[in-house]
C-alpha cells in the first residue's frame, strides 16, 4: 500500500543558519543517511522521510518530505531539535504545506 508523501517548507529567520544546519546534521548522522556542508544538508530517514536544509545569511530554509500522517510529528521533531540548538535566541517556525 502506497502512502501519500507531503512536501512542506519553513523559513526560519536567523543569522546562525549554517551553525544550526550543521548541528542538526551531525546530531542525526549516527542514525540516518546524512550529507551536508556549511550551506546545505540532507537527512534521509526511514519511511520516506527527508529533511533538506539550506542556510542563507539571514534564514534557515527547511524542506520536509514525509508521509501525510507523519508530517505534523516530523515538523515538531525538526523544530524542537533546532530550537534546542538555538537556546540563545527565540526562533519562529512557520510551516507551509
Amino acid at each position: 500500500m502506497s502512502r501519500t508523501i507531503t512536501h512542506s517548507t519553513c523559513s526560519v529567520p536567523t543569522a546562525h543558519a549554517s551553525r544550526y544546519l550543521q548541528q542538526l546534521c551531525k546530531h542525526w548522522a549516527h542514525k540516518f543517511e546524512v550529507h551536508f556542508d556549511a550551506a546545505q544538508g540532507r537527512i534521509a530517514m526511514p519511511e520516506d522521510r527527508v529533511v533538506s536544509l539550506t542556510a542563507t545569511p539571514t534564514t534557515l530554509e527547511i524542506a520536509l518530505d514525509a508521509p501525510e500522517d507523519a508530517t505534523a510529528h516530523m515538523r515538531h521533531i525538526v523544530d524542537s531539535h533546532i530550537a534546542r540548538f538555538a537556546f540563545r535566541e527565540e526562533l519562529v517556525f512557520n510551516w507551509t504545506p
Side-chain angles (χ1 to χ4, degrees), residues 47-92:
E47 301 177 12
D48 300 322
R49 301 167 194 215
V50 177
V51 179
S52 301
L53 306 152
T54 302
T56 76
T58 58
T59 62
L60 176 60
E61 304 293 335
I62 308 167
L64 171 65
D65 294 308
E68 189 174 31
D69 61 344
T71 298
H73 179 68
M74 286 301 302
R75 287 176 179 178
H76 173 74
I77 290 171
V78 171
D79 294 355
S80 65
H81 276 75
I82 294 171
R84 204 173 323 139
F85 302 141
F87 63 92
R88 290 184 182 94
E89 66 178 307
E90 181 106 10
L91 299 180
V92 176

